[in-house]
Amino acid sequence: MNATTLRQQLAERGLAPNKRFGQNFLIDEDILDAIVDAAELTERDTVLEIGPGTGALTHRLAARAGRLVAVEIDKGLSGFLAEQFADNPRVEILNADILKTDQCSLFAEELSAGRGAVKVVANLPYYITTPILLSLLPKDDLFSRFVVMMQREVADRMQADPGSKDYGALSLAVQYYALPEIVTLVPPGAFYPPPEVTSAVLRLDRHNVPPVSVKDPDRMFALISAAFGKRRKTLSNAIAGAPQLQISAEQVRSALDQMNLDPNTRGETLSLSDYAALSDLL
Ligand code: SAM
């Protein structure tokens, strides 16, 4: 569908793209197909679509998945979509905020069947990409794969390796739970209205078991957050400067020494397994 037709369709229902909800609708058919292909859906899959908008992706997902739940915050759009899928018992359109939705009760059936086979497919609202993914990724019995559109810059940070300019706390949080891979880059012209940035479709395959073993993951993430909170400091000074951790610079230097790492190293050079080891030592 082109931008003019979509604008007319919305206008007929008294609707227009709402910036407040990050509404940039995808109109490029090839990118829509690439997203659905990357999800590798079968009839055994349940799909959670976040922000179905005008339904471009929703129709493609409904044609392939066994069950589809689409959560849309905009009442006008969710009503418009609910009408379109009224006769399809495999599709539920919910008018809700994904950040306030209890996914465990939405997918109680899948959880009790022990399938853990919910896939998340979405052209995400960019203003809440990170909170959405960081709230869904830890739910280990529920989601197996995410295929999600986001700003390219955020996708680059999620899949960055140690030492690169994009590497940070977000890379480590995401990579603890899943393996990220950019499927394709997407120019602004693929959307109506076009966003100001280049986008990327990112596929995240959730690990069955985390790639590192750590006694207390929450404590490791607190260390990581302190390490990247003060990027210009050495790791030992950054951690010692975080009062909630109660760890001295000397303790960090001694742990780094035991790990055969430079005591003056900076946070951005340590890998996920280094942080797991450091967290256990401290
Ligand atoms: N899926 C559509 C597409 O590809 O054309 C729309 C994508 S648009 C980038 C993001 C969608 O997320 C919008 O429809 C917006 O209303 C919806 N949205 C924004 N915040 C949301 C939230 N907190 N919960 C659920 N949906 C939300």
Side-chain angles (χ1 to χ4, degrees), residues 124-175:
L124 290 171
Y126 291 177
Y127 71 108
I128 43 170
T129 298
T130 303
I132 290 176
L133 288 178
L134 293 186
S135 75
L136 301 192
L137 275 167
K139 302 207 165 117
D140 51 349
D141 294 335
L142 213 46
F143 303 114
S144 55
R145 173 173 287 183
F146 298 72
V147 180
V148 279
M149 177 92 77
M150 62 186 71
Q151 283 188 48
R152 180 199 181 161
E153 187 202 321
V154 180
D156 284 342
R157 284 166 51 208
M158 288 188 180
Q159 68 152 20
D161 291 326
S164 70
K165 73 170 175 31
D166 295 319
Y167 186 64
L170 182 62
S171 328
L172 288 156
V174 166
Q175 291 170 28

Side-chain angles (χ1 to χ4, degrees), residues 108-134:
E109 215 178 285
E110 284 77 4
L111 270 176
S112 66
R115 281 191 281 156
V118 181
K119 291 178 173 172
V120 177
V121 184
N123 173 14
L124 290 171
Y126 291 177
Y127 71 108
I128 43 170
T129 298
T130 303
I132 290 176
L133 288 178
L134 293 186

Side-chain angles (χ1 to χ4, degrees), residues 6 18 20-27 32 35 49-58 71-74 77 94 96-101 122-128 132 149 191-192:
L6 181 57
N18 186 341
R20 186 161 68 95
F21 289 144
Q23 289 177 357
N24 299 98
F25 302 114
L26 194 50
I27 51 175
L32 285 160
I35 293 174
E49 185 186 4
I50 300 160
T54 51
L57 203 47
T58 321
V71 179
E72 171 58 59
I73 199 168
D74 186 313
L77 289 176
L94 300 181
D97 178 344
I98 189 63
L99 293 175
K100 295 184 185 151
T101 309
N123 173 14
L124 290 171
Y126 291 177
Y127 71 108
I128 43 170
I132 290 176
M149 177 92 77
F191 302 84
Y192 165 74

